[in-house]
Amino acid sequence: MSAAEQLLPATSVGTEPLFAVRDLTRLYGPDKGCQGVSFELYPGEVLGIVGESGSGKSTLLSLLCGRCPPDRGSVQYRDGSGDWLDLYAASEAERRTLLRTEWGFVEQNPRDGLRMGVSAGANIGERLMAQGVRHYGQLRAAGLDWLQQVEIDPARIDDLPRAFSGGMQQRLQIARNLVSSPKLVFMDEPTGGLDVSVQARLLDLLRGLVRELDLAVVIVTHDLAVARLLADRLMVMRRSRVVESGLTDQILDDPQHPYTQLLVSSVLQP
Amino acid sequence: MNTLIEVRDLAKTFTLHQQHGVSLQVLRGLNFTVAAGECLVLHGQSGAGKSTLLRTLYGNYLPAGGSIRIRHAGDWLELVGAEPRQVLAVRRQTLGYVSQFLRVIPRVPALEVVMEPALARGWTRVDAEARAKALLTRLNIPERLWQLAPGTFSGGEQQRVNLARGFMVGWPVMLLDEPTASLDEANAGVVLELIGEARAAGSALIGIFHDRAIREAVADRYLDMTQEDLAHAS
Amino acid sequence: MNAQAIPAREAGYNFAYLDEQTKRMIRRALLKAVAIPGYQVPFGGREMPLPYGWGTGGMQLTAAILGADDVLKVIDQGADDTTNAVSIRRFFARTAGVATTERTPEATVIQTRHRIPETPLAAGQIMVYQVPIPEPLRFIEPSETETRTMHALGDYGVMHVKLYEDIATFGHIATSYAYPVTVDGRYVMDPSPIPKFDNPKLDRSPALMLFGAGREKRLYAVPPYTRVVSLDFEDHPFQIQQWEQCCAICGSGDSYLDELIVDDAGSKQFVCSDTDYCAQRAQQQESRP
């Protein structure tokens, strides 16, 4: 499937948001966790959440994807039929279904996001099976197709994830998530822990897929280069608060907040 | 007169928190408009804020105050305070930016780099590739370089790839930051042709040109920036 | 063989060994299980005079439902005459004083390890199955809390993952016993380690099926005339085992056959696993002129 041939029209400024967060707060201690976070995400937008360790970005991600209830505030998602769902007013069943169908979650460590004991094809097909696909031939075809899209040799469809390198496991995790055509994907440091050249290949893949599939993405990263490459907009977090947010290249080229200026100036240039 | 971009009372200040909060007010009280087919040339010494102005118009720098209104999708849009996705939509459809520095995304071949603005607008790969190749040929980038990533190209080659990318599609408003710097006469001539074609197609251009001859060839009006060069405010 | 003379109950034991309160507790759990077909109900399993893994779960269920007028049959891999079957049958004969039988149509309660009799069951009969691991998801999900959540939410995608793996590895679904089924269109259940050959017998059977796991302390049930469907793929449908041979004793071509090595040279013979069925067929053939 060629990227360009399937291109969707540019995001119109008039469409409704896909994801709305209001005053989201969860604190474990003074300034530990996250507080007062509000934003809206539109279809096809990539939001980067950057910050150093302890900034609260991981807490925020858990709150956003339904894994952890907030002390205060709300997370709302507009589902496939256009209805707004309040994430924490919904049942556990609805949240789990959402995470399996319209949402994706790419874990930092691929071992957390894969079933290590079953083959690559089974890993990719699981979401489809969970949605009721009962045709082995179709499942296998989907597996082969997605392995190709994430640039893994399709001949390895029956291999266990144990046999894959870290970068390949991560790409398999991405395929496993995207097979259900999600509209919103959460990524937790997807390139962390990978060798630089492997990272580069993964980033290229992500860039291509995000554009091609018009995914809305929330990506947490401490790496500003990754943020610049993938994100349309950024939120900079420090000690549980969002200190600055806006267009990615504006934040990185013309940071306003003292902390952001510190962060940007600290990045080493090879 | 068909005004496409309107700037009122634009101000830009840099506050360097790392350097004891030193404040540099680079732009203040700027007012101008540019109409379709017009080329406004920014004029002033180095450090006067010409590049800063272009970057501020593009949204790369955050304005400190004032208004930038642009004619986008049949309506006026205020860029100061606009949502990121609105700015990105404007950058995709309406506002083009050509600088002498190509921001290199590693591993993407030169041809893809040039095709990208067209693909983002929904052109087919076939059409985009044809035009990209035509532009690269015009700008004297040899075919053997088309499938290579520009990271290893010379400064001049990178600049010409950037120019091809910049003129790939039509922009109602174009910002040109030293597009002919470090180009030889032949290539500079090509750029002049491209600028001429853009103007004829109805684009409004705002540009910085270091070369006096080129400046005089393209400019309809000048905006003198020297008065904007203010002393540091502490 | 007809029902044996009813033996006297041994003194010193309560009827069927378990005390009445325990039996009440188990019956309440059984009622809940029958009301929610295929759902695993926890129960307060008692210590039985056998170790775990020898049928304590099945025995507790049998003990709870047995009445003085019941006729009990006990089979182990289809046979009434193996050590385990004999022991359990004798256990209930001694502690409950109930009549026992080897004839399937005569039994009111049949406790079984790993087979369903070939003779079709009738309304009013109860099958009690001995179950080692009641959780069909255990092979892929070790966490108990997680499997309970999966059952509650009907989150059964992983069951098909296992079947997919089989087909990818072996070219066909390799599970041949304890083949998972969907009960009443809702819960996925492990039918105990019966061969998949027997799975169709569960579907809409007139008999009541009760399943007891002693070590895990869970019981579950399939009421009469309930839909029980074996999991499969559209392009790899469920199939039962087949043999080329017929039973060497009774000549049956459609019962589950055991493969026996009959001499040191390795000669094989195939005989019905269900001893009662085989014996009845053989007897009928003999009595024909």
Side-chain angles (χ1 to χ4, degrees):
Chain A
M1 178 163 82
S2 151
E5 256 118 27
Q6 297 263 340
L7 246 147
L8 301 153
T11 311
S12 133
V13 289
T15 46
E16 247 196 281
L18 182 67
F19 195 60
V21 174
R22 297 260 167 282
D23 193 34
L24 199 58
T25 303
R26 185 177 173 98
L27 288 170
Y28 301 103
D31 290 345
K32 280 196 177 44
C34 77
Q35 49 184 317
V37 180
S38 300
F39 66 88
E40 283 177 347
L41 193 67
Y42 284 74
E45 261 197 318
V46 180
L47 171 67
I49 302 176
V50 296
E52 298 177 303
S53 331
S55 57
K57 55 191 199 295
S58 302
T59 307
L60 178 57
L61 195 66
S62 304
L63 289 170
L64 292 177
C65 70
R67 287 187 179 175
C68 171
D71 299 333
R72 206 174 73 224
S74 72
V75 177
Q76 308 214 310
Y77 171 73
R78 187 165 57 90
D79 67 20
S81 43
D83 300 320
W84 281 97
L85 175 77
D86 184 323
L87 196 64
Y88 290 101
S91 65
E92 174 72 17
E94 285 173 280
R95 276 196 292 274
R96 281 169 79 118
T97 307
L98 207 53
L99 255 174
R100 223 180 20 233
T101 53
E102 295 186 43
W103 285 8
F105 196 105
V106 178
E107 301 270 2
Q108 179 170 2
N109 188 340
R111 285 160 185 267
D112 296 331
L114 290 172
R115 285 201 194 275
M116 301 302 286
V118 297
S119 67
N123 265 286
I124 295 175
E126 187 178 334
R127 277 199 177 199
L128 297 175
M129 290 185 242
Q131 284 173 37
V133 174
R134 291 284 175 266
H135 194 278
Y136 176 78
Q138 284 175 10
L139 291 164
R140 199 161 174 83
L144 291 168
D145 177 46
W146 274 101
L147 283 176
Q148 218 155 26
Q149 288 204 50
V150 297
E151 295 166 20
I152 297 177
D153 181 8
R156 303 198 65 173
I157 187 172
D158 295 323
D159 288 356
L160 292 180
R162 283 187 249 271
F164 290 1
S165 66
M168 286 171 80
Q169 284 178 358
Q170 197 58 300
R171 279 180 275 140
L172 180 61
Q173 207 201 155
I174 290 168
R176 179 179 155 92
N177 274 281
L178 296 184
V179 72
S180 65
S181 303
K183 307 217 313 281
L184 174 59
V185 180
F186 298 95
M187 297 191 194
D188 185 4
E189 310 262 14
T191 59
L194 297 175
D195 288 337
V196 179
S197 60
V198 176
Q199 255 192 52
R201 201 169 157 199
L202 188 69
L203 285 173
D204 286 346
L205 179 71
L206 284 172
R207 267 182 67 239
L209 286 172
V210 166
R211 270 193 349 237
E212 196 179 305
L213 304 172
D214 203 33
L215 294 175
V217 178
V218 177
I219 174 168
V220 163
T221 180
H222 66 277
D223 188 336
L224 295 182
V226 170
R228 190 190 277 278
L229 200 60
L230 291 180
D232 297 324
R233 30 189 287 230
L234 288 186
M235 284 188 346
V236 181
M237 288 194 74
R238 177 176 181 253
R239 298 244 215 109
S240 82
R241 284 176 220 273
V242 176
V243 296
E244 193 168 350
S245 68
L247 203 56
T248 302
D249 63 278
Q250 184 258 295
I251 301 260
L252 295 176
D253 289 340
D254 185 23
Q256 306 294 302
H257 192 275
Y259 176 68
T260 320
Q261 290 187 359
L262 173 65
L263 209 59
V264 171
S265 64
S266 309
V267 174
L268 299 170
Q269 303 288 348
Chain B
M1 192 161 85
N2 191 7
T3 308
L4 293 184
I5 183 167
E6 197 177 272
V7 174
R8 296 256 161 275
D9 210 26
L10 187 63
K12 175 61 189 157
T13 306
F14 290 101
T15 307
L16 306 176
H17 296 280
Q18 304 281 77
Q19 272 107 41
H20 314 291
V22 146
S23 209
L24 301 168
Q25 189 174 37
V26 181
L27 304 173
R28 187 181 71 166
L30 271 179
N31 294 284
F32 62 88
T33 63
V34 187
E38 256 200 311
C39 179
L40 179 73
V41 169
L42 303 180
H43 181 58
Q45 319 164 322
S46 175
K50 305 190 291 296
S51 282
T52 302
L53 173 58
L54 289 187
R55 290 215 193 190
T56 308
L57 292 177
Y58 198 60
N60 187 224
Y61 287 170
L62 196 66
S67 144
I68 305 168
R69 290 182 358 120
I70 190 167
R71 192 110 188 118
H72 169 72
D75 211 346
W76 284 101
L77 181 69
E78 172 62 71
L79 283 173
V80 177
E83 294 282 323
R85 62 195 176 86
Q86 291 174 313
V87 177
L88 290 174
V90 169
R91 287 183 184 179
R92 204 161 15 229
Q93 306 289 125
T94 305
L95 186 57
Y97 185 90
V98 181
S99 82
Q100 55 181 304
F101 301 115
L102 175 67
R103 169 152 249 124
V104 178
I105 298 174
R107 298 173 306 281
V108 180
L111 191 63
E112 288 289 328
V113 170
V114 175
M115 280 164 67
E116 211 249 307
L119 298 178
R121 284 215 191 155
W123 287 32
T124 63
R125 274 197 84 83
V126 174
D127 292 340
E129 214 174 290
R131 174 143 173 94
K133 287 179 176 171
L135 278 169
L136 284 169
T137 310
R138 243 173 119 174
L139 285 161
N140 299 302
I141 301 280
E143 198 171 329
R144 62 184 164 79
L145 294 182
W146 292 354
Q147 293 305 331
L148 300 179
T152 51
F153 295 0
S154 71
E157 284 167 340
Q158 284 193 11
Q159 190 184 347
R160 281 175 280 140
V161 169
N162 207 18
L163 287 164
R165 178 191 165 96
F167 285 97
M168 182 70 187
V169 289
W171 301 99
V173 180
M174 277 192 95
L175 306 172
L176 302 155
D177 190 347
E178 305 269 22
T180 57
S182 71
L183 288 185
D184 61 22
E185 217 177 294
N187 283 313
V190 175
V191 174
L192 279 177
E193 279 169 27
L194 290 168
I195 292 176
E197 285 161 25
R199 285 171 67 187
S203 299
L205 277 68
I206 305 174
I208 304 168
F209 303 90
H210 73 286
D211 186 282
R212 190 172 155 157
I214 295 181
R215 226 169 28 228
E216 287 173 3
V218 298
D220 289 318
R221 291 185 287 132
Y222 288 90
L223 182 68
D224 195 349
M225 305 274 302
T226 41
Q227 67 215 40
E228 309 306 324
D229 183 14
L230 299 170
H232 293 182
S234 44
Chain C
M1 199 201 272
N2 290 332
Q4 294 158 337
I6 298 171
R9 216 179 87 205
E10 243 179 66
Y13 290 106
N14 197 42
F15 182 86
Y17 184 78
L18 291 176
D19 61 276
E20 291 306 311
Q21 292 303 335
T22 299
K23 286 193 243 175
R24 272 202 192 97
M25 175 272 295
I26 293 176
R27 283 186 217 128
R28 278 193 208 108
L30 284 170
L31 281 175
K32 183 166 181 178
V34 168
I36 316 171
Y39 170 74
Q40 297 165 51
V41 181
F43 73 102
R46 299 290 184 251
E47 277 188 13
M48 299 293 283
L50 324 173
Y52 293 135
W54 290 77
T56 57
M59 286 172 69
Q60 287 178 78
L61 263 53
T62 301
I65 63 174
L66 220 49
D69 297 333
D70 273 307
V71 181
L72 177 69
K73 173 178 159 84
V74 183
I75 49 173
D76 174 12
Q77 302 271 44
D80 301 84
D81 53 2
T82 67
T83 312
N84 297 331
V86 169
S87 298
I88 295 173
R89 193 166 58 239
R90 225 169 42 193
F91 174 86
F92 283 112
R94 284 169 65 183
T95 59
V98 287
T100 62
T101 182
E102 289 186 16
R103 296 248 37 239
T104 306
E106 284 173 21
T108 56
V109 177
I110 305 172
Q111 178 167 331
T112 175
R113 174 175 171 269
H114 304 348
R115 278 246 45 220
I116 301 181
E118 305 294 349
T119 316
L121 300 169
Q125 290 186 300
I126 302 179
M127 287 279 299
V128 176
Y129 296 77
Q130 296 169 207
V131 180
I133 308 276
E135 179 53 70
L137 298 167
R138 186 62 66 226
F139 72 96
I140 204 165
E141 183 53 66
S143 158
E144 173 69 18
T145 38
E146 183 60 25
T147 51
R148 286 207 211 179
T149 310
M150 289 163 89
H151 280 293
L153 301 177
D155 205 347
Y156 292 128
V158 287
M159 291 306 308
H160 279 88
V161 168
K162 164 81 165 30
L163 302 180
Y164 170 100
E165 275 300 89
D166 274 0
I167 301 173
T169 315
F170 304 114
H172 60 273
I173 298 174
T175 310
S176 58
Y177 65 94
Y179 194 104
V181 295
T182 305
V183 179
D184 203 26
R186 175 57 182 91
Y187 283 96
V188 166
M189 176 185 100
D190 181 328
S192 85
I194 54 175
K196 65 177 180 176
F197 183 85
D198 286 338
N199 275 20
K201 299 190 178 86
L202 291 168
D203 187 26
R204 286 169 292 189
S205 171
L208 171 64
M209 314 289 194
L210 304 176
F211 299 81
R215 174 177 28 213
E216 297 294 314
K217 304 191 195 334
R218 298 269 184 283
L219 56 85
Y220 45 104
V222 178
Y225 304 110
T226 304
R227 279 294 268 147
V228 176
V229 179
S230 301
L231 302 182
D232 61 6
F233 285 106
E234 287 162 11
D235 50 343
H236 283 82
F238 174 74
Q239 280 177 332
I240 60 175
Q241 292 111 324
Q242 281 167 340
W243 288 261
E244 289 166 357
Q245 301 84 350
C246 295
C247 174
I249 298 174
C250 73
S252 165
D254 52 14
S255 58
Y256 189 88
L257 301 180
D258 286 334
E259 187 179 323
L260 302 178
I261 311 291
V262 292
D263 61 29
D264 288 338
S267 326
K268 292 183 220 174
Q269 227 182 30
F270 288 82
V271 296
C272 288
S273 135
D274 186 340
T275 51
D276 176 55
Y277 178 77
C278 197
Q280 292 309 312
R281 274 181 61 97
Q283 206 178 56
Q284 277 168 13
Q285 282 159 15
E286 264 169 49
S287 58
R288 269 190 231 123

